[in-house]
Amino acid sequence: MLKFENVSKKYPNGYEAVKNISFEIGEGEILVLIGPSGCGKTTTMKMINRLVPHTGGKIYVGGKDISKENPVTLRKNMGYVIQQAGLFPHYTIEDNVGLIPELKKWDPEKKRSRVTEMLRLVGLAPEAFAKRYPKQLSGGQQQRVGVARALAADPEIILMDEPFGALDPITREQLQDELLRLQQNLKKTIVFVTHDMEEALKLGDKIAILKDGELVQIDTPDQILSNPANEFVEGFIGKNRIYQNPEYIPITDVMRENPSTSIAERSPAKAMTFMRQRKTDTLLVSDREGKLLGIVSAYDLSSQTTASNIGEIMHPVSFVLEDSATARDALALINEAPYGIIPVVTQNGVITGVVTRSSLLTAFASQWSNEKEELS
Ligand code: ADP
Ligand code: MG
């Protein structure tokens, strides 16, 4: 449906904003373009409807080379939604939505019924909104109008450039959900630009990651998360990994290293002193090779007076994870695990760490604070 073949864009000042990118998306797919500010997302988008002429390679829409199309006709057959909705302030909502049908010279009755239908589709009652002006609407409502306008002439492709970027998080999520709901029926080919990975993962059938005008990776969300092409992609998805996709977080990233351990031969009294020093109330018990044998708590030690070593007191550990496990495995077990801890061992059973509720929380919390930093 949409194909880029070695496409480049060099602006007249000589700056190469897009470098030799190639990709293809099928009909009815949502492609999300993502990357840091200035990486070439908007340029890539605007080359599709020829608001920006490309300077190298070929772009095909429905098999046709767009450089051979009339740019005005091309634009009328593509919906375009931008960040501040891009509504005309001196036009009513009705006239804004009817813009392309008007340009296409639809008959007035057909246009009116289409506008009504589109407003309903995006959740705006036509009776209440048709005659209003953009500034009388909230940001979220304006974006809905933007979406209605993009859909009005039933285009084959819809281009959306950070359409929800200026909305508060709740409205933003609502509009994302609605876009997905609409898409179930409409099956449009959509190119959606964002710099928010969470939005990309939620909406994209495919995600294309751009950096300095180059296409770093294009893949399904699953593939991006499980096989990031390089460190840049990894960094970009980092903050989203843990709570969205704990199955891709290695357990070694959420465990605490150097847990308090003791060999089984230690006396209960010495073990107790050691626990006080370490300010812990549980000890992992191991053999001399460091292999996990059991677990013992301060309570076990204090209520046992006859044992000569902690090996006689310890309990077997029913919940253990190997170091190849993921954060999801830990999340699934942590509430059941005795003492609220899960030892992590190598394939050979040697203790390498421990997952606790607090180590999981710390991992989550650091994700959240990263995100806050980014927002502020
Ligand atoms: P994004 O949408 O990813 O933030 P853009 O596609 O808007 O990035 O811009 C990519 C790069 O091209 C930026 O470095 C930007 O400054 C540059 N650029 C954009 N428009 C022009 C232009 N008309 N002339 C020269 N450079 C431009
Ligand atoms: Mg942009």
Side-chain angles (χ1 to χ4, degrees):
M1 178 64 204
L2 172 66
K3 187 174 174 187
F4 271 52
E5 220 173 67
N6 305 110
V7 174
S8 301
K9 172 64 190 179
K10 199 179 242 179
Y11 280 109
N13 65 359
Y15 185 75
E16 199 172 22
V18 171
K19 299 167 188 157
N20 198 37
I21 70 176
S22 302
F23 63 82
E24 197 171 346
I25 57 165
E27 202 171 330
E29 280 191 320
I30 301 183
L31 170 72
V32 176
L33 299 176
I34 188 168
S37 176
C39 69
K41 304 180 293 293
T42 297
T43 302
T44 301
M45 181 83 113
K46 285 183 170 172
M47 288 192 292
I48 301 171
N49 64 8
R50 288 186 60 183
L51 281 174
V52 167
H54 55 286
T55 51
K58 299 243 186 253
I59 301 174
Y60 299 94
V61 170
K64 289 186 196 155
D65 180 345
I66 64 159
S67 66
K68 303 201 165 85
E69 306 272 303
N70 176 322
V72 177
T73 315
L74 190 75
R75 257 165 250 154
K76 282 186 200 163
N77 291 322
M78 291 182 188
Y80 190 38
V81 189
I82 57 177
Q83 187 168 107
Q84 306 290 358
L87 304 177
F88 291 108
H90 54 287
Y91 275 29
T92 60
I93 298 310
E94 169 177 71
D95 289 343
N96 267 288
V97 175
L99 193 71
I100 303 285
E102 176 71 27
L103 290 173
K104 288 185 146 187
K105 302 192 167 59
W106 287 19
D107 82 63
E109 198 38 55
K110 182 180 168 197
K111 191 184 84 183
R112 195 166 317 117
S113 79
R114 182 70 181 172
V115 167
T116 306
E117 184 192 344
M118 288 303 106
L119 285 176
R120 286 222 178 87
L121 194 66
V122 298
L124 297 173
E127 315 77 56
F129 288 94
K131 303 291 180 199
R132 290 201 212 172
Y133 287 87
K135 67 169 187 294
Q136 300 172 300
L137 272 59
S138 72
Q141 288 166 339
Q142 290 187 29
Q143 287 312 120
R144 285 167 203 259
V145 175
V147 172
R149 183 176 64 180
L151 292 170
D154 201 19
E156 6 181 39
I157 293 191
I158 299 178
L159 308 175
M160 306 181 87
D161 194 350
E162 307 207 28
F164 309 145
L167 303 176
D168 65 89
I170 293 171
T171 309
R172 181 179 188 144
E173 227 175 281
Q174 266 174 3
L175 283 171
Q176 290 166 353
D177 291 340
E178 280 176 34
L179 180 65
L180 287 176
R181 182 179 55 76
L182 284 175
Q183 176 66 353
Q184 284 190 338
N185 303 320
L186 298 174
K187 292 271 171 236
K188 297 289 181 190
T189 305
I190 298 176
V191 182
F192 189 108
V193 166
T194 183
H195 59 259
D196 173 5
M197 190 46 119
E198 214 172 314
E199 186 165 72
L201 292 168
K202 181 167 173 182
L203 298 178
D205 293 307
K206 283 200 189 126
I207 299 174
I209 299 174
L210 298 175
K211 178 177 184 259
D212 302 330
E214 287 176 43
L215 181 59
V216 183
Q217 185 170 10
I218 175 164
D219 251 319
T220 60
D222 267 6
Q223 278 301 312
I224 298 266
L225 286 166
S226 53
N227 292 311
N230 58 26
E231 280 185 4
F232 173 76
V233 178
E234 239 167 65
F236 215 73
I237 60 183
K239 73 187 173 71
N240 291 283
R241 298 186 94 188
I242 188 149
Y243 58 92
Q244 283 221 330
N245 296 81
E247 66 269 37
Y248 298 127
I249 318 294
I251 192 106
T252 46
D253 283 5
V254 299
M255 73 183 189
R256 219 176 53 226
E257 285 167 28
N258 307 314
S260 303
T261 62
S262 169
I263 53 167
E265 287 77 11
R266 207 176 229 166
S267 73
K270 282 198 173 144
M272 200 65 154
T273 310
F274 179 62
M275 283 167 91
R276 263 189 223 113
Q277 283 166 358
R278 297 280 305 232
K279 295 189 173 36
T280 178
D281 52 10
T282 50
L283 274 184
L284 299 180
V285 183
S286 71
D287 68 11
R288 288 176 185 277
E289 270 87 56
K291 286 187 185 167
L292 179 67
L293 297 174
I295 189 168
V296 71
S297 71
Y299 175 79
D300 297 331
L301 292 180
S302 61
S303 57
Q304 262 286 356
T305 47
T306 55
S308 61
N309 66 54
I310 59 174
E312 294 168 24
I313 306 173
M314 69 181 186
H315 303 284
V317 186
S318 39
F319 290 75
V320 189
L321 289 170
E322 277 192 12
D323 53 9
S324 56
T326 68
R328 175 195 263 179
D329 302 321
L331 286 167
L333 294 182
I334 193 72
N335 284 328
E336 310 284 324
Y339 313 108
I341 71 174
I342 307 170
V344 180
V345 299
T346 65
Q347 231 179 352
N348 302 324
V350 174
I351 300 167
T352 60
V354 65
V355 175
T356 65
R357 243 172 242 125
S358 87
S359 78
L360 279 173
L361 269 178
T362 307
F364 276 94
S366 72
Q367 305 295 318
W368 284 326
S369 61
N370 285 345
E371 208 166 79
K372 266 190 226 132
E373 270 160 36
E374 220 152 278
L375 288 173
S376 58

